[in-house]
Amino acid sequence: MFVVAVLILLRSLFLCGHVEAGSSYFEELKSTALSMDKPLNCYKWDCKCAFERQRSCCCGANELYALEDDTYEKIKSLWYDISMLKYSVLGLTESYKISFKATMDPSMATPIPGTEERCFGPFNSNVPIPYTIVSLNDGNGYNPSWGAFTAPISGVYHFSFTVYSTVAKTERLYHKIQMMRNGVVIVSVWENNREDSEDSGTQVAILYLQKGDQVYMELMSGRKLCNHLQHNIFTGYMVYPSPDDYYH
């Protein structure tokens, strides 16, 4: 490449008449330079001059810069697509954050005549339990006034409830709590004895719910929950949405 550059330079100088021959070697270079009738081939990999001097002196420079510009545009487009995907995913996941946790309010307990107990119940009919202290309600599916969860969208849901009751040693531990879905019993926890003064139990259920289905807890008629009602807890969350709701 050095020899090629010299020949091109000499050819230009000789044509302009600014260089005089000083030796036979120089005359030979002059003759060779003047005999060139077309540009000498350069190599696309030899681009040193394109970066150190000027862009046009390398045959591969234009292609290299075009590739650089094309790569930049593709990276910019890819970054935009990734950003849009990020916000789309966030939009989907935010809309499907459905979970709740609620507990009973101890002040709901009332004195039982003839005993030292304060209890929720007994009642003459089955009564939905209002878990009124809500510590989590993403998606606003749980209504503390009713004690019921209404599915905002169709999907698979996980529910659990813990039942706790305590009575004096001479009294009867007597309760039955059942999980209801649209008025149908799913699972239950019960106790009926005079041997224990306190007891607790937990049930878990995985349910497929259609949008609008309701899940709530029900105290059976004649039964009661006594003392420390804050240990009675009702929780739930969506495991995954129905494919129809997910894609629409």
Side-chain angles (χ1 to χ4, degrees):
M1 285 300 294
F2 176 75
V3 173
V4 171
V6 170
L7 290 176
I8 293 174
L9 177 62
L10 288 175
R11 182 171 183 269
S12 300
L13 292 175
F14 290 140
L15 289 174
C16 294
H18 295 301
V19 178
E20 298 294 336
S23 65
S24 58
Y25 176 72
F26 196 74
E27 286 293 333
E28 184 177 351
L29 286 177
K30 174 182 176 181
S31 175
T32 302
L34 291 175
S35 65
M36 293 173 58
D37 58 354
K38 59 182 180 179
L40 293 177
N41 293 329
C42 68
Y43 299 95
K44 293 183 179 182
W45 50 264
D46 190 4
C47 294
K48 184 177 180 181
C49 62
F51 297 103
E52 293 187 353
R53 297 192 182 92
Q54 59 182 357
R55 176 171 173 168
S56 61
C57 72
C58 173
C59 298
N62 290 332
E63 294 179 25
L64 182 64
Y65 281 92
L67 177 62
E68 183 183 63
D69 292 341
D70 183 59
T71 301
Y72 171 75
E73 290 299 326
K74 288 182 177 178
I75 291 176
K76 186 169 70 172
S77 177
L78 180 61
W79 178 256
Y80 174 79
D81 290 342
I82 290 174
S83 298
M84 293 303 296
L85 178 61
K86 170 187 174 182
Y87 292 118
S88 296
V89 170
L90 286 176
L92 276 174
T93 54
E94 286 293 330
S95 63
Y96 292 121
K97 283 185 176 179
I98 301 172
S99 59
F100 72 93
K101 178 183 178 182
T103 61
M104 293 185 69
D105 186 346
S107 66
M108 295 171 58
T110 58
I112 303 296
T115 72
E116 298 178 359
E117 298 169 356
R118 296 181 62 86
C119 304
F120 177 74
F123 302 102
N124 294 328
S125 61
N126 295 354
V127 174
I129 300 176
Y131 298 85
T132 55
I133 301 177
V134 181
S135 56
L136 176 66
N137 196 12
D138 286 341
N140 295 313
Y142 179 74
N143 188 322
S145 298
W146 305 340
F149 172 80
T150 302
I153 61 173
S154 302
V156 174
Y157 291 80
H158 174 283
F159 296 98
S160 68
F161 67 96
T162 296
V163 178
Y164 177 85
S165 185
T166 178
V167 295
K169 292 182 179 180
T170 57
E171 298 299 326
R172 180 182 178 189
L173 196 62
Y174 189 55
H175 60 257
K176 184 175 183 180
I177 309 298
Q178 50 195 25
M179 179 185 291
M180 311 293 292
R181 177 178 61 185
N182 299 334
V184 178
V185 178
I186 303 301
V187 291
S188 60
V189 169
W190 65 91
E191 193 64 60
N192 182 8
N193 71 77
R194 294 182 182 275
E195 298 173 1
D196 299 329
S197 60
E198 65 174 350
D199 210 336
S200 66
T202 299
Q203 276 281 17
V204 174
I206 303 292
L207 303 176
Y208 177 80
L209 301 182
Q210 296 284 353
K211 181 178 179 179
D213 284 352
Q214 289 190 332
V215 176
Y216 58 94
M217 310 306 303
E218 191 174 73
L219 175 65
M220 294 291 292
S221 64
R223 311 296 178 101
K224 59 185 178 179
L225 292 173
C226 300
N227 305 309
H228 308 294
L229 297 184
Q230 68 273 19
H231 298 315
N232 289 267
I233 305 170
F234 182 28
T235 67
Y237 61 88
M238 187 182 68
V239 180
Y240 57 84
S242 167
D244 292 338
D245 280 14
Y246 186 82
Y247 292 110
H248 297 89

